[in-house]
């Protein structure tokens, strides 16, 4: 259990340091710079460091530490809950930022800035996590240091199937985010954490279940076994396609590109009341005609009154 205690200490230190970094950036930077860059960089670093350590436990823990799948899934759920509660609204995922762009809720420069921040945050997380592993505080970290330079591909299925798996996971993740985006964090964070845990358990044996292009890039693209183009098809094209399909299914259109609904017919919810038909030209009377119809000695239809002669 020494390896588990070391990993738990690493998770705790990561959350504490990232929370301190958020407070410092929020106090020192303008609100726009914090929301567009610093918050995303810190959130991506927090998610990346926790995912790398968790991946090490999932790969080495069952045969080197005696960890069962129930322990690993419980720990993953707790990590996702804490991350969702402390990320301060950061997307920490390029597909989520691109989703906001497609929804016309973020401009192109701001989206590009977020993508750059997420890439830098994950890159910093990888460097710091490997530095932590180099201290070899437990047997698991010793094994990880020996295996990391010669890592094998996390893609253990054909490329087309891997892209389908990553795309399906991203589709369900983004569909859930769209459905719960206006919900309270007390409901949204547990729902997303449970869904991500289930998808990781399902897709993990095939692609390691990243659903995050930035995290997959720095964690797996240097591993041997597949070409760069194959990695891009699985870990970039798959999640991006799943995100676009989720937005299209939920809204019926891509708001950034189309104004008209492409999938669903929109009916007017306000019914036009059925009133009397508007009077035609023959039914209207001019003021002069109305006055003549009421002249003394004439009937309503222009006929002489009885006894008027």
């Amino acid at each position: 259990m020494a390896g588990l205690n070391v990993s738990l200490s690493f998770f705790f230190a990561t959350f504490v340091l990232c929370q301190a970094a958020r407070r410092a950036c929020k106090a020192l930077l303008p609100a726009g710079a914090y929301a567009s860059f610093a918050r995303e960089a810190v959130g991506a670093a927090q998610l990346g460091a926790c995912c790398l350590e968790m991946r090490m436990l999932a790969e080495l823990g069952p045969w080197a530490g005696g960890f069962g799948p129930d322990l690993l899934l419980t720990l993953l759920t707790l990590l996702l809950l804490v991350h969702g509660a402390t990320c301060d609204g950061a997307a920490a995922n390029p597909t989520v930022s691109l989703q906001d762009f497609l929804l016309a809720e973020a401009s192109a420069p701001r989206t590009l800035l977020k993508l750059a921040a997420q890439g830098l945050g994950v890159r910093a997380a990888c460097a710091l996590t490997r530095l932590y592993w180099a201290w070899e505080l437990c047997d698991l970290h010793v094994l990880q240091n020996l295996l990391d330079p010669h890592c094998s591909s996390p893609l253990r299925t054909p490329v087309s199937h891997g892209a389908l798996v990553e795309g399906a996971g991203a589709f369900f993740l983004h569909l859930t985010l769209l459905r719960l985006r206006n919900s309270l964090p007390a409901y949204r964070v547990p729902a997303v954490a449970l869904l991500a845990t289930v998808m990781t358990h399902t897709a993990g044996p095939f692609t390691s279940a990243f659903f995050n292009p930035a995290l997959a890039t720095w964690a797996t693209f240097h591993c041997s076994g597949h070409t760069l183009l194959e990695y891009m098809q699985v870990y970039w094209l798959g999640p991006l396609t799943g995100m676009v399909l989720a937005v299209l299914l939920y809204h019926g259109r891509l708001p950034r590109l189309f104004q008209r609904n492409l999938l669903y017919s929109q009916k007017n919810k306000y019914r036009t009341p059925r009133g009397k038909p508007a009077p035609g030209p023959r039914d209207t009377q001019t003021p002069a005609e109305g006055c003549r119809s009421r002249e003394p000695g004439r009937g309503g239809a222009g006929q002489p009154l009885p006894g008027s002669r």
Side-chain angles (χ1 to χ4, degrees):
M1 296 298 289
L4 181 61
N5 292 332
V6 171
S7 295
L8 291 177
S9 301
F10 174 78
F11 294 139
F12 179 77
T14 299
F15 286 122
V16 171
L17 290 176
C18 289
Q19 195 67 9
R22 287 190 190 92
R23 293 185 177 182
C25 293
K26 190 178 292 187
L28 298 176
L29 297 177
Y34 171 75
S36 300
F37 188 84
R39 181 177 63 180
E40 291 295 331
V42 176
Q46 175 176 288
L47 181 63
C50 292
C51 286
L52 288 174
E53 184 72 11
M54 190 67 216
R55 185 184 176 202
M56 184 272 299
L57 289 177
E59 292 179 351
L60 302 180
W63 61 272
F67 304 150
D70 52 347
L71 175 62
L72 295 175
L73 291 176
T74 302
L75 183 58
L76 176 61
T77 304
L78 292 176
L79 288 176
L80 293 173
L81 286 172
V82 177
H83 172 74
T86 60
C87 67
D88 196 22
N93 189 333
T95 60
V96 178
S97 298
L98 291 174
Q99 172 188 286
D100 294 338
F101 176 74
L102 284 181
L103 294 176
E105 296 179 354
S107 62
R110 186 171 184 177
T111 301
L112 292 176
L113 193 60
K114 287 184 177 181
L115 296 179
Q118 291 160 2
L120 291 175
V122 175
R123 183 67 184 92
C126 292
L128 294 177
T129 304
R130 289 188 172 92
L131 178 62
Y132 182 73
W133 290 342
W135 295 349
E136 297 184 353
L137 300 178
C138 62
D139 295 338
L140 293 179
H141 287 177
V142 174
L143 293 173
Q144 180 62 32
N145 280 330
L146 294 175
L147 297 175
D148 189 58
H150 312 285
C151 65
S152 58
S153 172
L155 183 60
R156 295 175 287 272
T157 189
V159 174
S160 59
H161 184 240
L164 180 62
V165 170
E166 287 287 315
F171 172 79
F172 289 113
L173 177 62
H174 285 273
L175 200 61
T176 303
L177 291 175
L178 289 169
R179 180 64 182 85
L180 301 177
R181 64 183 314 173
N182 295 324
S183 302
L184 295 175
Y187 301 104
R188 183 177 64 253
V189 171
V192 174
L194 291 176
L195 176 65
T197 302
V198 172
M199 292 193 306
T200 300
H201 177 67
T202 305
F206 303 104
T207 63
S208 293
F210 286 100
F211 314 128
N212 188 323
L215 183 59
T217 298
W218 294 111
T220 67
F221 278 28
H222 66 282
C223 296
S224 60
H226 289 87
T227 64
L228 177 62
L229 181 60
E230 291 174 336
Y231 279 134
M232 292 174 62
Q233 291 177 9
V234 175
Y235 296 108
W236 286 10
L237 184 60
L240 288 175
T241 303
M243 178 270 293
V244 172
L245 291 177
V247 174
L248 186 61
L249 179 64
Y250 188 80
H251 288 281
R253 63 189 179 95
L254 302 177
R256 175 68 64 174
L257 304 178
F258 305 101
Q259 296 296 328
R260 184 174 61 87
N261 199 305
L262 302 177
L263 298 181
Y264 312 116
S265 59
Q266 295 179 333
K267 296 182 179 180
N268 190 1
K269 62 181 179 179
Y270 300 105
R271 293 184 177 180
T272 303
R274 293 184 177 180
K276 295 182 180 180
R282 296 182 179 179
D283 298 332
T284 57
Q285 291 180 332
T286 61
E289 292 175 344
C291 293
R292 287 199 299 266
S293 65
R294 289 190 294 271
E295 288 180 358
R298 290 191 175 270
Q303 300 295 331
L305 294 175
S308 59
R309 293 181 180 178

